[in-house]
């Protein structure tokens, strides 16, 4: 007696290759739909929508949609005015101190576009051809240091000399002398007062930036100086 074999059952559903093919066709279709949609942008409607965002009052009053994340223009102006008032007040305080202690002939304080500029003649700070701060200068520099403790501004200290050449064991030229004097003033202020050292910049100009021509002993004395600039944040060095 012959036994009939049943034919193998065919798998249900579509062939396996059909799934991959369908995915590929779908991706291609989506790609062409995106291309089509991008090519059909109504430029008039797009500009109208962009203009509507510009006219929103929220963007005029707050530069960021997240409240308080960025300061508004009004807040920036208020901050700038506070800094301006702070520097002007500092200049007046220093001027008053100089007047009360009879130092107006050897030191000045002015408010300029650079900030508050203190010009200190050599004889109030150093011996001739030396960069060690004399003890007589301690009270004055300490007073300046107290005023600067609350100021976050960059403090630039510049050393200047007259045009007479110098050459000794410590300072081969006026470049080294002027740089050393600027550094000595910074070291005194940072060692004796709570001022972040990162706020300081020391520069030595030698005899390259005289206040007056080096044609007399009096003029040379004016050119031998240290300038302390409490910089205005709005000011940018041009050189």
């Amino acid at each position: 007696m012959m036994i009939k074999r049943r034919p193998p059952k065919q798998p249900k559903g579509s062939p396996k290759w059909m799934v991959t093919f369908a995915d590929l066709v779908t991706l291609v279709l989506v790609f062409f739909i995106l291309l089509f949609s991008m090519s059909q942008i109504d430029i008039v409607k797009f500009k109208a929508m962009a203009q509507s965002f510009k006219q929103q009052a929220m963007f005029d009053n707050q530069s960021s949609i997240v409240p308080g994340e960025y300061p508004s223009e009004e807040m920036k102006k208020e901050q700038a005015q506070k800094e301006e008032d702070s520097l002007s007040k500092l200049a007046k305080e220093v001027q008053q101190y100089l007047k009360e202690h009879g130092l107006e002939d050897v030191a000045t304080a002015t408010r300029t576009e650079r900030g508050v500029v203190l010009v200190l003649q050599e004889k109030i700070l150093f011996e001739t051809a030396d960069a060690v701060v004399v003890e007589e200068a301690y009270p004055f520099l300490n007073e300046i240091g107290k005023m600067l403790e609350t100021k976050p501004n960059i403090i630039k200290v510049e050393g200047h000399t007259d045009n007479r050449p110098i050459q000794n064991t410590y300072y081969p030229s006026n470049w080294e002398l002027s740089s050393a004097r600027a550094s000595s003033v910074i070291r005194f202020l940072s060692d004796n007062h709570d001022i972040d050292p990162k706020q300081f910049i020391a520069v030595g100009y030698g005899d390259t930036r005289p206040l007056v021509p080096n044609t007399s002993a009096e003029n040379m004395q004016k050119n031998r100086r240290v300038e302390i600039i409490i910089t205005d944040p709005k000011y940018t060095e041009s050189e």
Side-chain angles (χ1 to χ4, degrees):
M1 181 176 179
M2 293 183 63
I3 299 176
K4 292 183 178 181
R5 294 184 178 180
R6 293 180 181 179
K9 292 182 179 181
Q10 295 294 327
K12 296 180 180 181
S14 304
K16 292 182 178 181
W17 64 267
M18 184 66 74
V19 177
T20 302
F21 179 76
D23 289 342
L24 178 62
V25 172
T26 302
L27 289 173
V28 173
L29 179 61
V30 171
F31 176 71
F32 280 106
I33 291 174
L34 286 174
L35 288 179
F36 178 77
S37 64
M38 291 173 65
S39 66
Q40 296 298 314
I41 293 177
D42 189 328
I43 191 64
V44 176
K45 291 182 179 180
F46 179 79
K47 288 184 176 180
M49 181 179 66
Q51 186 64 28
S52 68
F53 279 112
K54 291 183 179 180
Q55 294 175 351
Q56 292 296 322
M58 64 179 292
F59 290 104
D60 294 334
N61 297 327
Q62 185 73 35
S63 57
S64 171
I65 59 175
V66 181
E69 183 176 357
Y70 298 105
S72 64
E73 286 299 321
E74 185 176 350
M75 291 175 63
K76 291 179 180 178
K77 290 180 180 178
E78 289 179 359
Q79 182 62 29
Q81 186 60 48
K82 288 181 180 179
E83 292 174 351
E84 178 73 22
D85 294 343
S86 176
L87 289 174
S88 297
K89 181 181 178 182
L90 175 62
K92 291 179 180 178
E93 289 176 353
V94 178
Q95 290 168 357
Q96 183 64 29
Y97 180 88
L98 296 177
K99 183 177 181 180
E100 292 176 354
H101 293 79
L103 298 174
E104 293 175 295
D105 292 338
V106 292
T108 61
T110 54
R111 176 70 171 97
T112 71
E113 62 176 5
R114 300 174 69 190
V116 178
V117 181
L118 281 64
V119 181
L120 315 177
Q121 290 187 19
E122 172 195 62
K123 61 183 181 180
I124 194 178
L125 296 173
F126 307 106
E127 297 289 349
T128 301
D130 197 2
V132 178
V133 177
V134 297
E135 290 187 12
E136 291 78 6
Y138 292 179
F140 174 68
L141 288 180
N142 278 324
E143 190 67 26
I144 298 299
K146 292 176 185 177
M147 297 178 188
L148 296 180
E149 286 181 342
T150 58
K151 300 293 185 294
N153 307 61
I154 295 298
I155 305 166
K156 184 180 181 183
V157 182
E158 302 176 350
H160 301 268
T161 68
D162 59 31
N163 65 347
R164 292 178 302 175
I166 179 177
Q167 186 173 6
N168 58 36
T169 305
Y170 300 103
Y171 313 111
S173 72
N174 283 321
W175 290 109
E176 286 80 9
L177 177 61
S178 61
S179 300
R181 285 181 168 180
S183 298
S184 291
V185 171
I186 289 177
R187 186 168 61 253
F188 181 91
L189 293 173
S190 62
D191 287 349
N192 294 281
H193 296 277
D194 186 18
I195 305 173
D196 189 346
K198 294 180 181 178
Q199 291 178 238
F200 288 107
I201 298 175
V203 183
Y205 286 115
D207 62 351
T208 62
R209 299 191 178 188
L211 289 176
V212 290
N214 288 290
T215 54
S216 66
E218 182 180 357
N219 282 4
M220 288 182 177
Q221 178 178 297
K222 292 180 180 179
N223 290 330
R224 297 192 300 272
R225 69 196 190 279
V226 168
E227 295 188 8
I228 303 175
I229 301 97
I230 299 88
T231 60
D232 189 326
K234 302 188 298 296
Y235 178 75
T236 302
E237 288 280 358
S238 58
E239 298 181 11

